[in-house]
């Protein structure tokens, strides 16, 4: 199979939620020396974007979104060790979670993989994470950064709830807050008082490193 055929197969089979075929093609791609990043950014993510567009048009419903998401998650599991391959020293600690009321986790997991690949220790709290759980994790792990993911306009307000909870617990100044997720914007992040926003996984890694560097150089030792 050519690289183009594999990428097309990944796109088409993710779209219809054919998880076994997506997994086979991902392995095939690796055997054929296709870059993991290419499978991700040229096939899997565009396919999920098309799933979202079809859902918006009313051509797809929740079950179709669910099986497409599962197919993508299967491919991510195959790609995870390669995307997270690192010789980097630990650059910081990152507590991450999808906010309360929200079950989307593919984007969050991808950010986690890239962070690990860049040398971060990531503590993943999973999905539907309540403010109290974020607070307990910040107290327990004392991370450099806490990250909130939200994928619905209806769950984005949880950023503010989480920030208020950090403030109330006296932890706001002790941790950098990053936010992200499909509907989130820089303006929204600024409005709720987050320290940083990134649109995708690679930007998230870059920003996380910058924010830590900035904090370390500004805090007197
Ligand atoms: Co849902 N869903 N979904 N869904 N779903 C979206 C998000 C939607 C945009 C589809 C659409 O209408 N076009 C829409 C939200 C609309 C909105 O509010 N603006 C939507 C909806 C409406 C819903 C339901 C409400 C549907 C319903 O029940 N009627 C429901 C909500 C359930 C809930 O959470 N309470 C629902 C359910 C689901 C499934 C469970 C079926 C499934 C999720 C499976 C899973 O995650 N395990 C699902 C899926 C698969 C999608 C789409 C199709 C794909 C999401 C995805 O994985 N994208 C999505 C359509 C779309 O996004 N175009 C959609 C790929 C992923 C790599 O990208 O998630 O953007 P993304 O992550 C990026 C960045 O956002 C960023 O980096 C990631 C990697 O590059 N990022 C960060 C993420 N977190 C970050 C954190 C950071 C920094 C960057 O710092 C902390």
């Amino acid at each position: 199979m050519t690289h183009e055929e594999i990428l097309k197969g990944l796109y088409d089979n993710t779209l219809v939620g054919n998880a076994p075929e997506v997994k086979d093609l991902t392995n095939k791609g690796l055997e054929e020396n296709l870059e993991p990043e290419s499978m991700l950014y040229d096939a899997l993510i565009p396919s999920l974007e098309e799933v979202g567009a079809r859902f918006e048009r009313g051509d797809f419903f929740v079950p179709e979104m669910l099986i497409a998401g599962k197919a993508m998650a299967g491919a991510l599991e195959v790609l995870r060790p390669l995307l997270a391959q690192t010789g980097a020293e630990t650059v910081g600690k990152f507590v991450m979670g999808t906010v309360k009321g929200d079950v989307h986790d593919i984007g969050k997991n991808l950010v986690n993989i890239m962070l690990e690949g860049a040398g971060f220790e990531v503590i993943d709290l999973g999905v539907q994470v309540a403010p109290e759980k974020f607070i307990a994790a910040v107290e327990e792990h004392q991370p450099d950064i806490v990250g909130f993911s939200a994928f619905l306009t209806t769950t984005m307000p949880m950023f503010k709830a989480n920030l208020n909870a950090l403030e109330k617990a006296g932890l706001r100044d002790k941790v950098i807050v990053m936010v992200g997720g499909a509907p989130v914007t820089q303006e929204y992040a600024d409005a709720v008082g987050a320290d940083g926003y990134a649109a995708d996984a690679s930007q998230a890694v870059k920003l996380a490193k910058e924010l830590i560097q900035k904090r370390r150089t500004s805090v007197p030792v």
Side-chain angles (χ1 to χ4, degrees), residues 40-41 44-57 60-70 72-73 76 94-112 114-115 127-128 145-156 159 177-184 196-205 207-208:
L40 205 52
Y41 294 111
L44 297 163
I45 292 180
S47 184
L48 276 194
E49 277 164 8
E50 177 58 22
V51 171
R54 289 187 186 193
F55 177 77
E56 268 176 44
R57 292 201 302 267
F60 271 14
F61 299 94
V62 173
E64 280 95 345
M65 266 205 308
L66 190 59
I67 55 169
K70 283 199 172 142
M72 161 81 167
L76 261 193
F94 204 118
V95 162
M96 175 74 110
T98 298
V99 299
K100 188 174 172 182
D102 202 320
V103 303
H104 294 85
D105 66 357
I106 297 168
K108 166 186 71 63
N109 294 344
L110 186 53
V111 176
N112 288 348
M114 297 298 202
L115 284 169
V127 297
Q128 305 239 49
I145 306 182
V146 59
F148 308 138
S149 283
F151 302 89
L152 300 167
T153 39
T154 49
T155 56
M156 280 162 57
F159 291 159
V177 173
M178 272 179 64
V179 296
V184 185
Y197 155 78
D200 60 35
S202 46
Q203 278 187 40
V205 170
L207 182 66

XYZ file of all heavy atoms in Angstrom, residues 40-41 44-57 60-70 72-73 76 94-112 114-115 127-128 145-156 159 177-184 196-205 207-208, ligand 1:
734
model
N -1.652 11.274 12.207
C -2.473 12.077 13.109
C -3.064 13.300 12.410
O -4.272 13.506 12.381
C -1.569 12.514 14.267
C -2.164 12.853 15.594
C -3.077 11.756 16.083
C -1.036 13.080 16.603
N -2.153 14.117 11.843
C -2.587 15.430 11.341
C -3.099 15.404 9.897
O -3.800 16.323 9.483
C -1.445 16.449 11.484
C -1.114 16.721 12.932
C 0.088 16.288 13.488
C -2.025 17.360 13.768
C 0.382 16.503 14.837
C -1.741 17.576 15.110
C -0.540 17.145 15.636
O -0.278 17.349 16.965
N -6.262 11.267 10.761
C -7.163 10.985 11.890
C -7.901 12.236 12.366
O -9.128 12.233 12.505
C -6.355 10.367 13.041
C -5.713 9.008 12.712
C -4.620 8.653 13.715
C -6.781 7.909 12.709
N -7.151 13.331 12.604
C -7.804 14.549 13.100
C -8.743 15.143 12.040
O -9.904 15.458 12.348
C -6.769 15.565 13.630
C -6.123 14.998 14.911
C -7.402 16.924 13.919
C -5.078 15.882 15.565
N -8.300 15.269 10.765
C -9.244 15.769 9.754
C -10.519 14.923 9.663
O -11.607 15.446 9.446
C -8.448 15.686 8.448
C -7.023 15.770 8.873
C -6.943 15.086 10.210
N -10.385 13.611 9.863
C -11.562 12.756 9.787
C -12.538 13.079 10.922
O -13.751 13.190 10.704
C -11.129 11.284 9.851
O -12.254 10.458 9.691
N -12.010 13.286 12.126
C -12.897 13.641 13.244
C -13.519 15.026 13.034
O -14.640 15.277 13.470
C -12.140 13.606 14.566
C -12.009 12.238 15.238
C -11.565 12.389 16.673
C -13.322 11.462 15.213
N -12.764 15.918 12.367
C -13.351 17.236 12.066
C -14.545 17.068 11.126
O -15.580 17.713 11.283
C -12.296 18.157 11.435
C -11.441 18.815 12.512
C -10.152 19.413 11.982
O -9.968 19.462 10.752
O -9.312 19.807 12.819
N -14.399 16.163 10.163
C -15.506 15.906 9.235
C -16.686 15.264 9.982
O -17.840 15.580 9.710
C -15.019 15.003 8.087
C -16.082 14.589 7.084
C -16.801 15.747 6.384
O -16.261 16.864 6.332
O -17.941 15.529 5.894
N -16.378 14.389 10.937
C -17.447 13.793 11.758
C -18.231 14.913 12.450
O -19.468 14.927 12.436
C -16.852 12.819 12.818
C -17.921 12.368 13.805
C -16.224 11.606 12.141
N -17.488 15.874 13.020
C -18.130 16.997 13.710
C -18.986 17.819 12.758
O -20.107 18.218 13.092
N -18.459 18.039 11.548
C -19.213 18.829 10.557
C -20.498 18.101 10.169
O -21.564 18.707 10.048
C -18.339 19.072 9.324
N -20.397 16.772 10.003
C -21.599 16.004 9.641
C -22.621 16.003 10.782
O -23.819 16.043 10.554
C -21.213 14.561 9.282
C -20.471 14.508 7.964
C -20.216 13.093 7.503
N -19.374 13.143 6.303
C -19.154 12.132 5.502
N -19.709 10.969 5.745
N -18.387 12.267 4.442
N -22.100 15.986 12.017
C -22.990 16.030 13.191
C -23.738 17.362 13.198
O -24.951 17.407 13.413
C -22.160 15.846 14.466
C -22.962 15.940 15.726
C -23.764 14.893 16.154
C -22.926 17.095 16.509
C -24.503 14.979 17.328
C -23.664 17.189 17.679
C -24.461 16.132 18.088
N -23.004 18.433 12.915
C -23.640 19.762 12.899
C -24.719 19.861 11.828
O -25.737 20.497 12.020
C -22.588 20.839 12.627
C -21.986 21.400 13.894
C -20.864 22.392 13.597
O -21.031 23.228 12.696
O -19.816 22.285 14.267
N -24.451 19.209 10.672
C -25.430 19.255 9.578
C -26.611 18.326 9.809
O -27.564 18.319 9.044
C -24.747 18.843 8.260
C -23.720 19.819 7.742
C -23.487 19.610 6.226
N -23.053 18.256 5.900
C -21.771 17.879 5.799
N -20.825 18.770 5.997
N -21.451 16.644 5.478
N -24.912 13.049 10.821
C -24.425 12.069 11.797
C -25.096 12.359 13.136
O -25.465 13.498 13.424
C -22.903 12.211 12.000
C -22.053 11.386 11.060
C -22.587 10.800 9.924
C -20.696 11.194 11.331
C -21.782 10.055 9.061
C -19.887 10.451 10.482
C -20.425 9.869 9.339
N -25.220 11.312 13.953
C -25.780 11.474 15.294
C -24.760 10.993 16.326
O -23.658 10.591 15.970
C -27.121 10.727 15.383
C -28.133 11.281 14.403
C -28.300 10.707 13.140
C -28.869 12.424 14.709
C -29.184 11.249 12.212
C -29.758 12.968 13.786
C -29.913 12.381 12.536
N -25.140 11.034 17.608
C -24.168 10.701 18.670
C -23.524 9.314 18.462
O -22.308 9.182 18.603
C -24.812 10.836 20.069
C -23.865 10.340 21.153
C -25.175 12.297 20.329
N -24.287 8.261 18.110
C -23.617 6.956 17.952
C -22.490 6.983 16.919
O -21.440 6.386 17.132
C -24.750 6.029 17.492
C -25.994 6.675 17.972
C -25.743 8.154 17.933
N -22.701 7.705 15.825
C -21.650 7.793 14.789
C -20.425 8.525 15.349
O -19.289 8.152 15.088
C -22.155 8.554 13.553
C -23.017 7.723 12.617
C -24.493 7.900 12.889
O -24.857 8.421 13.964
O -25.290 7.501 12.017
N -20.695 9.598 16.131
C -19.568 10.340 16.732
C -18.803 9.441 17.690
O -17.589 9.458 17.747
C -20.095 11.549 17.521
C -20.105 12.788 16.732
S -20.006 14.314 17.675
C -21.242 14.248 18.902
N -19.582 8.629 18.421
C -18.973 7.756 19.435
C -18.067 6.712 18.781
O -16.918 6.530 19.204
C -20.100 7.067 20.229
C -19.710 6.305 21.469
C -19.012 7.217 22.458
C -20.952 5.707 22.124
N -18.548 6.053 17.738
C -17.706 4.993 17.142
C -16.504 5.592 16.423
O -15.421 5.011 16.427
C -18.503 4.007 16.236
C -19.266 4.728 15.130
C -19.433 3.127 17.059
C -19.832 3.764 14.077
N -16.691 6.773 15.830
C -15.539 7.430 15.188
C -14.492 7.781 16.251
O -13.290 7.567 16.057
C -15.992 8.681 14.442
N -14.970 8.293 17.388
C -14.068 8.640 18.489
C -13.327 7.416 18.995
O -12.123 7.462 19.264
N -14.029 6.280 19.069
C -13.382 5.047 19.547
C -12.320 4.577 18.556
O -11.256 4.096 18.945
C -14.427 3.951 19.755
C -15.202 4.160 21.031
C -15.899 2.903 21.504
C -16.487 3.142 22.892
N -17.769 2.508 23.091
N -10.576 6.457 16.556
C -9.422 7.364 16.719
C -8.642 7.004 17.983
O -7.400 6.980 17.977
C -9.950 8.802 16.801
C -9.009 9.802 17.399
S -7.809 10.336 16.190
C -7.084 11.752 17.002
N -9.350 6.714 19.069
C -8.675 6.391 20.333
C -7.817 5.134 20.187
O -6.720 5.052 20.742
C -9.711 6.220 21.443
N -4.674 6.100 18.495
C -3.812 6.855 19.430
C -3.044 5.914 20.356
O -1.892 6.174 20.684
C -4.653 7.790 20.291
C -4.754 9.252 19.902
C -5.356 10.053 21.031
C -3.412 9.843 19.498
N 2.507 18.426 35.369
C 1.284 18.945 34.766
C 0.099 18.107 35.239
O 0.063 16.909 34.981
C 1.423 18.848 33.241
C 0.574 19.806 32.450
C 1.162 20.750 31.626
C -0.804 19.759 32.512
C 0.400 21.641 30.878
C -1.576 20.639 31.766
C -0.981 21.580 30.949
N -0.834 18.735 35.936
C -2.083 18.049 36.286
C -3.117 18.424 35.239
O -3.313 19.605 34.947
C -2.575 18.447 37.704
C -4.046 18.098 37.893
C -1.744 17.752 38.775
N -3.763 17.425 34.654
C -4.673 17.696 33.533
C -6.011 16.998 33.730
O -6.066 15.893 34.263
C -3.999 17.155 32.266
C -4.835 17.236 31.028
S -4.946 18.909 30.426
C -3.954 18.738 28.964
N -7.084 17.632 33.270
C -8.382 16.972 33.320
C -9.395 17.660 32.423
O -9.257 18.834 32.099
N -10.402 16.900 31.993
C -11.545 17.478 31.291
C -12.553 17.900 32.359
O -12.807 17.144 33.308
C -12.204 16.440 30.342
O -11.260 16.038 29.351
C -13.421 17.019 29.665
N -13.101 19.092 32.191
C -13.925 19.680 33.257
C -15.229 18.917 33.520
O -15.671 18.114 32.680
C -14.268 21.165 32.956
C -13.009 22.006 32.849
C -15.134 21.276 31.702
N -15.822 19.212 34.647
C -17.093 18.600 35.068
C -18.163 18.759 33.977
O -18.279 19.830 33.384
C -17.553 19.291 36.354
C -18.751 18.665 37.020
C -19.004 19.361 38.338
C -20.300 18.903 38.952
N -20.567 19.603 40.204
N -18.903 17.695 33.720
C -19.989 17.756 32.749
C -19.573 17.409 31.337
O -20.410 17.348 30.431
N -18.280 17.166 31.140
C -17.758 16.963 29.790
C -17.028 15.628 29.709
O -16.165 15.351 30.545
C -16.769 18.109 29.480
C -16.564 18.338 28.000
O -16.481 17.347 27.258
O -16.479 19.507 27.585
N -17.406 14.806 28.706
C -16.791 13.474 28.614
C -15.758 13.363 27.484
O -15.176 12.303 27.285
C -17.846 12.354 28.428
C -18.867 12.364 29.546
C -18.531 12.438 27.059
N -15.564 14.443 26.722
C -14.604 14.363 25.609
C -13.180 14.206 26.163
O -12.778 14.967 27.044
C -14.669 15.636 24.760
C -15.972 15.810 24.052
N -17.059 16.396 24.656
C -16.366 15.466 22.802
C -18.075 16.406 23.790
N -17.686 15.846 22.659
N -12.446 13.248 25.622
C -11.082 13.094 26.148
C -10.007 12.856 25.100
O -8.820 12.771 25.435
C -11.013 11.992 27.223
C -11.295 10.604 26.674
O -11.599 10.482 25.483
O -11.200 9.642 27.458
N -10.391 12.737 23.839
C -9.369 12.418 22.821
C -8.347 13.552 22.713
O -7.139 13.319 22.716
C -10.037 12.136 21.460
C -10.941 10.910 21.565
C -8.983 11.919 20.376
C -11.872 10.699 20.391
N -8.856 14.789 22.633
C -7.954 15.940 22.513
C -7.074 16.084 23.745
O -5.869 16.317 23.646
N -7.672 15.910 24.918
C -6.898 15.977 26.169
C -5.808 14.911 26.182
O -4.649 15.186 26.524
C -7.834 15.790 27.376
C -7.095 15.506 28.670
C -8.031 15.177 29.817
C -8.725 13.851 29.734
N -7.856 12.651 29.756
N -6.182 13.698 25.781
C -5.196 12.605 25.797
C -4.037 12.891 24.844
O -2.889 12.557 25.134
C -5.859 11.270 25.436
C -6.862 10.843 26.494
O -6.845 11.363 27.601
N -7.734 9.909 26.158
N -4.377 13.499 23.716
C -3.323 13.829 22.755
C -2.371 14.884 23.332
O -1.142 14.783 23.183
C -3.975 14.336 21.456
C -3.058 14.591 20.281
C -2.192 13.376 19.979
C -3.882 14.937 19.043
N -2.940 15.874 24.003
C -2.088 16.884 24.658
C -1.188 16.184 25.688
O 0.018 16.439 25.755
C -2.936 17.995 25.327
C -2.044 18.972 26.086
C -3.758 18.756 24.282
N -1.768 15.273 26.457
C -0.974 14.553 27.470
C 0.190 13.796 26.831
O 1.317 13.825 27.342
C -1.850 13.542 28.225
C -2.826 14.221 29.171
O -2.693 15.408 29.429
N -3.790 13.486 29.662
N 1.715 14.393 24.041
C 2.746 15.333 23.557
C 3.532 15.937 24.736
O 4.734 16.155 24.626
C 2.106 16.468 22.751
C 1.411 15.990 21.501
S 2.562 15.209 20.363
C 1.703 15.352 18.839
N 2.828 16.218 25.825
C 3.518 16.757 27.011
C 4.521 15.736 27.539
O 5.664 16.071 27.844
C 2.505 17.098 28.113
C 1.666 18.365 27.939
C 0.537 18.408 28.960
C 2.528 19.624 28.069
N -11.947 12.478 32.900
C -13.014 13.365 32.418
C -13.982 13.687 33.552
O -13.928 13.067 34.619
C -13.786 12.717 31.240
C -12.876 12.492 30.056
C -14.455 11.413 31.652
N -14.865 14.664 33.311
C -15.884 15.059 34.298
C -15.241 15.373 35.642
O -15.733 14.914 36.685
C -16.874 13.907 34.500
C -17.514 13.423 33.241
C -19.029 13.561 33.309
O -19.530 14.634 33.668
N -19.740 12.531 32.957
N 1.842 23.277 36.535
C 0.685 23.726 35.746
C -0.511 22.819 36.004
O -0.366 21.601 36.137
C 0.996 23.679 34.227
C 2.265 24.475 33.909
C -0.181 24.180 33.399
C 2.639 24.537 32.433
N -1.697 23.446 36.065
C -2.931 22.653 36.028
C -3.653 23.025 34.737
O -3.755 24.206 34.395
C -3.807 22.849 37.297
C -4.222 24.303 37.510
C -5.053 21.964 37.242
N -4.107 21.995 34.001
C -4.757 22.236 32.708
C -6.199 21.793 32.728
O -6.517 20.700 33.191
N -7.066 22.698 32.237
C -8.488 22.375 32.145
C -8.866 22.274 30.672
O -8.666 23.224 29.904
C -9.349 23.482 32.771
C -8.943 23.866 34.180
C -8.915 25.206 34.562
C -8.622 22.895 35.123
C -8.566 25.580 35.860
C -8.269 23.254 36.424
C -8.240 24.599 36.795
N -9.439 21.128 30.275
C -9.948 20.967 28.914
C -11.467 21.040 28.936
O -12.093 20.440 29.814
C -9.570 19.591 28.345
O -8.241 19.547 27.945
N -12.044 21.747 27.955
C -13.512 21.749 27.790
C -13.805 21.722 26.301
O -13.146 22.412 25.522
C -14.126 22.995 28.426
N -14.796 20.928 25.910
C -15.068 20.745 24.485
C -16.476 21.179 24.105
O -16.882 21.041 22.957
C -14.818 19.278 24.102
C -13.406 18.867 24.422
C -13.080 18.341 25.660
C -12.396 19.073 23.511
C -11.770 18.012 25.980
C -11.080 18.749 23.815
C -10.769 18.216 25.052
N -17.194 21.697 25.088
C -18.567 22.147 24.835
C -18.706 23.584 25.317
O -18.131 23.941 26.357
C -19.559 21.270 25.628
C -19.557 19.771 25.302
C -20.332 19.006 26.373
C -20.194 19.524 23.940
N -19.493 24.366 24.598
C -19.705 25.743 25.057
C -20.390 25.725 26.432
O -20.194 26.629 27.236
C -20.551 26.533 24.042
O -21.559 25.680 23.527
C -19.728 27.042 22.901
N -21.151 24.666 26.686
C -21.869 24.592 27.965
C -20.956 24.203 29.133
O -21.336 24.370 30.299
C -23.012 23.556 27.883
O -22.472 22.353 27.331
C -24.147 24.056 27.015
N -19.779 23.649 28.867
C -18.890 23.272 29.983
C -17.720 24.240 30.151
O -17.021 24.196 31.170
C -18.352 21.825 29.819
O -17.692 21.714 28.558
C -19.467 20.814 29.915
N -17.526 25.135 29.174
C -16.449 26.134 29.310
C -16.554 26.965 30.604
O -15.526 27.316 31.190
C -16.417 27.063 28.091
C -15.721 26.441 26.892
S -16.132 27.266 25.349
C -15.664 28.928 25.634
N -14.294 26.514 33.687
C -12.950 27.100 33.880
C -13.002 28.101 35.039
O -12.160 28.109 35.919
C -12.469 27.850 32.631
C -12.159 26.985 31.435
C -12.136 27.537 30.156
C -11.868 25.635 31.567
C -11.829 26.763 29.055
C -11.564 24.846 30.473
C -11.556 25.418 29.205
N -2.229 28.219 35.330
C -3.461 27.620 34.812
C -3.494 27.739 33.282
O -3.402 28.846 32.740
C -4.716 28.294 35.413
C -5.985 27.769 34.741
C -4.781 28.055 36.914
N -3.605 26.584 32.635
C -3.768 26.583 31.170
C -5.128 26.004 30.809
O -5.606 25.093 31.482
C -2.674 25.723 30.515
C -1.422 26.495 30.205
S -0.153 25.446 29.465
C -0.913 24.952 27.930
N -5.734 26.540 29.751
C -7.028 26.024 29.302
C -6.971 25.721 27.811
O -6.139 26.270 27.086
C -8.181 27.023 29.582
C -8.376 27.236 31.067
C -7.961 28.356 28.874
N -7.854 24.829 27.373
C -7.925 24.505 25.952
C -9.126 23.634 25.659
O -9.877 23.267 26.572
N -9.287 23.318 24.376
C -10.432 22.524 23.926
C -11.053 23.195 22.719
O -10.909 24.412 22.550
N -11.747 22.407 21.905
C -12.213 22.887 20.599
C -12.908 24.268 20.604
O -12.552 25.115 19.787
C -13.097 21.833 19.956
N -13.874 24.537 21.489
C -14.574 25.837 21.366
C -13.872 26.994 22.082
O -14.339 28.133 22.026
C -15.921 25.563 22.035
C -15.645 24.494 23.031
C -14.445 23.710 22.551
N -12.772 26.720 22.778
C -12.123 27.746 23.609
C -11.306 28.706 22.737
O -10.730 28.292 21.726
C -11.202 27.082 24.663
C -10.626 28.116 25.613
C -11.957 26.007 25.436
N -2.808 30.836 30.367
C -2.453 30.493 28.994
C -3.520 29.679 28.308
O -4.301 28.967 28.954
N -3.554 29.824 26.982
C -4.476 29.055 26.141
C -3.707 28.539 24.935
O -2.867 29.262 24.382
C -5.635 29.949 25.655
C -6.250 29.456 24.361
C -7.144 28.381 24.388
C -5.911 30.011 23.131
C -7.681 27.900 23.198
C -6.454 29.529 21.949
C -7.341 28.474 21.989
O -7.864 27.986 20.827
N -3.980 27.308 24.534
C -3.363 26.777 23.318
C -4.425 26.094 22.474
O -5.326 25.447 23.008
C -2.267 25.782 23.680
N -4.291 26.256 21.154
C -5.308 25.722 20.246
C -5.107 24.248 19.930
O -6.057 23.557 19.563
C -5.303 26.530 18.952
N -3.867 23.770 20.050
C -3.644 22.351 19.762
C -2.518 21.803 20.638
O -1.899 22.539 21.419
C -3.362 22.124 18.269
C -2.123 22.867 17.798
O -1.166 22.988 18.574
O -2.114 23.330 16.640
N -2.239 20.512 20.445
C -1.307 19.845 21.359
C 0.117 20.402 21.255
O 0.781 20.589 22.275
C -1.308 18.344 21.082
N 0.574 20.677 20.043
C 1.962 21.149 19.961
C 2.103 22.560 20.520
O 3.084 22.879 21.200
C 2.539 21.026 18.545
O 1.641 21.498 17.620
N 1.089 23.398 20.271
C 1.115 24.741 20.885
C 1.047 24.646 22.411
O 1.656 25.448 23.123
C -0.079 25.557 20.409
C 0.119 26.210 19.057
C -1.057 27.136 18.753
O -1.558 27.844 19.615
N -1.515 27.125 17.512
N 0.295 23.660 22.900
C 0.156 23.495 24.354
C 1.514 23.187 24.987
O 1.869 23.744 26.027
C -0.852 22.384 24.669
N 2.280 22.317 24.327
C 3.604 21.955 24.853
C 4.527 23.175 24.858
O 5.199 23.465 25.853
C 4.224 20.821 24.005
C 5.677 20.599 24.387
C 3.426 19.534 24.169
N 3.742 26.367 24.845
C 3.304 27.359 25.827
C 3.615 26.914 27.256
O 4.056 27.725 28.088
C 1.801 27.613 25.662
C 1.209 28.658 26.582
C 1.771 30.047 26.264
C -0.315 28.701 26.471
N 3.404 25.624 27.529
C 3.665 25.116 28.887
C 5.126 25.362 29.261
O 5.421 25.827 30.372
C 3.326 23.625 28.956
Co -18.986 15.614 20.913
N -19.190 17.473 20.398
N -20.617 15.729 21.950
N -18.717 13.719 21.236
N -17.604 15.662 19.542
C -18.032 18.064 19.587
C -16.975 18.665 20.519
C -18.801 19.147 18.707
C -17.907 20.337 18.299
C -19.439 18.479 17.473
C -20.143 19.491 16.589
O -21.251 19.862 16.849
N -19.476 19.938 15.531
C -19.992 19.529 19.674
C -19.724 20.696 20.630
C -20.414 21.972 20.190
C -20.115 23.072 21.152
O -20.496 23.033 22.284
N -19.428 24.085 20.643
C -20.221 18.229 20.412
C -21.433 17.890 21.074
C -22.592 18.870 20.886
C -21.588 16.723 21.853
C -22.820 16.279 22.671
C -23.516 17.388 23.460
C -23.773 15.572 21.682
C -25.104 15.170 22.274
O -25.169 14.370 23.182
N -26.153 15.745 21.737
C -22.203 15.195 23.613
C -21.702 15.804 24.934
C -21.322 14.762 25.949
C -20.663 15.413 27.167
O -19.477 15.674 27.148
N -21.431 15.687 28.194
C -21.033 14.739 22.785
C -20.497 13.448 22.863
C -19.441 12.990 22.097
C -18.967 11.532 22.097
C -18.984 10.876 23.489
C -19.902 10.749 21.175
C -17.545 11.650 21.420
C -16.399 11.839 22.453
C -15.518 10.636 22.539
C -14.304 10.942 23.421
O -13.762 12.007 23.482
N -13.910 9.886 24.119
C -17.671 12.981 20.669
C -16.796 13.367 19.612
C -15.839 12.301 19.080
C -16.807 14.684 19.078
C -15.997 15.261 17.881
C -16.611 14.662 16.613
C -14.513 14.988 17.870
C -13.759 15.510 19.110
C -12.310 15.134 18.994
O -11.865 14.160 19.605
N -11.541 15.862 18.148
C -16.239 16.815 18.055
C -16.229 17.554 16.716
C -14.984 18.406 16.522
O -14.191 18.623 17.416
N -14.851 18.930 15.348
C -17.395 16.864 18.977
C -10.126 15.556 17.863
C -9.211 16.158 18.924
C -7.759 15.751 18.615
O -9.315 17.570 18.841
O -10.776 17.708 20.875
O -10.213 19.814 19.592
P -9.790 18.481 20.070
O -8.463 18.651 20.949
C -7.372 19.490 20.524
C -7.499 20.946 20.988
O -8.792 21.298 21.408
C -6.422 21.104 22.028
O -5.449 20.129 21.681
C -6.134 18.958 21.199
C -5.179 18.195 20.316
O -4.655 18.979 19.254
N -6.731 20.912 23.453
C -6.026 21.591 24.421
C -7.574 20.091 24.060
N -7.482 20.190 25.378
C -6.525 21.102 25.641
C -6.032 21.581 26.859
C -5.015 22.552 26.826
C -4.540 23.025 25.601
C -5.021 22.559 24.391
O -4.478 23.067 27.940
C -4.950 22.652 29.182
